[in-house]
Amino acid sequence: MQKMILIIGACGQIGTELTLALREKFGNDRVVASDIREGNESLMASGPFEILDATNYQAIENVIMHYEIDEVYLMAAMLSATAEKFPMRAWDLNMNSLFNVLNLAKDKKISKIFWPSSIAVFGPNTPKEDTPQHTIMEPSTVYGISKQSGERWCSYYFKKYGVDVRSVRYPGLISWKTLPGGGTTDYAIDIYHSALAGKKFTCFLGEQTKLPMMYMDDAIRATIDIMESDADNIKERSSYNLAAMSFTPAEIAQSIQKHIPDFEIDYEPDFRQAIADSWPSSIDDTEAQKDWNWKAQFTLEQTTVEMLENLKN
Ligand SMILES: NC(=O)c1ccc[n+]([C@@H]2O[C@H](COP(=O)([O-])OP(=O)(O)OC[C@H]3O[C@@H](n4cnc5c(N)ncnc54)[C@H](O)[C@@H]3O)[C@@H](O)[C@H]2O)c1
């Protein structure tokens, strides 16, 4: 029998595209989307949907039993910039949602979990360039602390209870289908919207702030690839480094100016600058390449072409 998949937090920036990609791959009826709010039309119209709170264990269990779910992708979380404003709510959502799915897998009610981590697990004392898989991790943000703790718990549940949980540390993700949800790299999406609207863009990060980024198509492919890989290939049971490109606000502006020559940018760094300053500039993802054949496809130039073309339509 074919497997059934549940996505929790399916209406967000990643969840929306992940749901559509999984429905395309496995069939619309085999992928149940869920969130605390309804999503966009293509998501709502293409398959089953449930209103579901990721912090409510019983409600998740009910949906899992009802649809006979095998695999869960947990995408609900409070992101970096918002979490700095609501630390306790972020901790509650990010940790309890993870414990709920880990415990459901421990009790054999589901057989596999995807849970995303982030480059936010690293901190100001981590080597900034080509940050290795295993290195100093002293995150200084609420979000980063929750992701790093989450990684340790994933590793613990795998070792102690044999829970098949898989994870990648997403860099900042760039996409056009759904708006971003309150992260420190959101500027790299907003900038395309401004450029196409003919507006000057004021960036909330400084000109030279270089961060690891990835186009959404690469992120979705990585997510499905790691989940479809043989369990024996997944050597890293905390979370894998994942990389595609790194750039500064000045560099993304230049790549837009190749297509829209009169596009203008200025810089007014706010509280998000401190978050960005604590993160790596570039990531070494050799382990993911070695273990499950990961390789990014989209460069900054290709991302700019995709973003401008798709947002124009
Ligand atoms: N977008 C990025 O650049 C990025 C980078 C690194 C890691 N991640 C991680 O990927 C995951 C998904 O991120 P995203 O960008 O899609 O976030 P998002 O904010 O766009 O989406 C999160 C979704 O979760 C839902 N949600 C919030 N509280 C919920 C609850 N209690 N129960 C159920 N759903 C709830 C929201 O309604 C939203 O639709 C998160 O774990 C995030 O930390 C994202």
Side-chain angles (χ1 to χ4, degrees):
M1 230 186 57
Q2 263 201 321
K3 63 186 170 198
M4 286 292 294
I5 295 171
L6 171 66
I7 301 164
I8 301 175
C11 300
Q13 189 198 358
I14 307 174
T16 301
E17 298 207 31
L18 179 64
T19 302
L20 297 176
L22 288 168
R23 282 181 175 163
E24 168 119 29
K25 188 171 171 72
F26 296 109
N28 287 352
D29 294 342
R30 312 221 69 90
V31 181
V32 182
S34 74
D35 204 294
I36 44 168
R37 60 179 173 112
E38 291 199 348
N40 71 20
E41 208 186 311
S42 55
L43 180 121
M44 298 304 290
S46 57
F49 178 82
E50 295 285 336
I51 290 286
L52 184 60
D53 180 352
T55 61
N56 184 337
Y57 179 91
Q58 195 53 57
I60 304 174
E61 187 180 4
N62 292 346
V63 169
I64 282 171
M65 292 301 157
H66 178 74
Y67 288 97
E68 299 183 26
I69 297 293
D70 303 293
E71 298 181 3
V72 172
Y73 290 71
L74 174 58
M75 310 310 284
M78 195 183 288
L79 303 199
S80 57
T82 314
E84 288 305 296
K85 294 182 184 153
F86 309 105
M88 289 301 112
R89 271 171 53 195
W91 180 256
D92 178 51
L93 171 60
N94 295 3
M95 298 315 295
N96 287 331
S97 59
L98 177 58
F99 280 125
N100 285 343
V101 293
L102 287 174
N103 285 325
L104 284 160
K106 173 181 163 233
D107 293 343
K108 310 270 183 259
K109 292 182 174 142
I110 47 175
S111 58
K112 211 193 274 185
I113 298 168
F114 177 81
W115 169 81
S117 185
S118 158
I119 55 162
V121 291
F122 300 114
N125 302 321
T126 303
K128 265 199 176 318
E129 293 289 346
D130 288 326
T131 302
Q133 173 71 38
H134 298 283
T135 182
I136 298 168
M137 295 166 91
E138 296 174 353
S140 54
T141 62
V142 174
Y143 177 70
I145 295 168
S146 76
K147 290 294 186 188
Q148 195 205 19
S149 310
E151 287 192 9
R152 298 328 311 153
W153 280 110
C154 287
S155 170
Y156 184 88
Y157 269 67
F158 171 74
K159 281 199 195 107
K160 187 103 180 174
Y161 308 119
V163 167
D164 188 356
V165 53
R166 303 169 184 207
S167 178
V168 294
R169 295 170 179 152
Y170 291 132
L173 299 183
I174 304 176
S175 67
W176 53 271
K177 284 189 189 154
T178 317
L179 288 171
T184 302
T185 51
D186 291 5
Y187 91 84
I189 297 172
D190 301 341
I191 193 170
Y192 291 107
H193 289 269
S194 282
L196 283 169
K199 289 190 196 145
K200 180 174 186 175
F201 181 68
T202 300
C203 187
F204 61 71
L205 296 182
E207 192 170 359
Q208 298 307 332
T209 308
K210 187 168 110 181
L211 289 172
M213 301 275 189
M214 179 176 285
Y215 188 54
M216 186 62 84
D217 291 28
D218 271 340
I220 298 296
R221 194 166 46 81
T223 306
I224 297 177
D225 280 0
I226 192 176
M227 283 295 272
E228 290 304 304
S229 191
D230 286 346
D232 292 347
N233 294 339
I234 311 302
K235 312 270 186 251
E236 189 51 66
R237 291 294 182 157
S238 57
S239 189
Y240 278 95
N241 275 7
L242 200 63
M245 54 183 140
S246 286
F247 57 77
T248 63
E251 286 165 341
I252 189 174
Q254 279 157 20
S255 88
I256 292 172
Q257 282 156 349
K258 286 184 193 154
H259 305 269
I260 306 175
D262 55 1
F263 171 63
E264 284 184 292
I265 183 168
D266 61 9
Y267 304 90
E268 279 178 25
D270 67 12
F271 72 100
R272 289 168 280 198
Q273 185 67 48
I275 303 177
D277 287 342
S278 76
W279 289 354
S281 303
S282 61
I283 299 284
D284 176 353
D285 64 1
T286 311
E287 303 296 318
Q289 294 180 34
K290 217 171 52 197
D291 291 357
W292 43 279
N293 289 323
W294 162 249
K295 190 164 179 21
Q297 286 174 355
F298 286 83
T299 61
L300 173 58
E301 297 311 324
Q302 289 165 318
T303 301
T304 294
V305 169
E306 289 278 319
M307 288 297 286
L308 293 177
E309 263 176 23
N310 285 299
L311 287 175
K312 222 184 286 172
N313 301 327

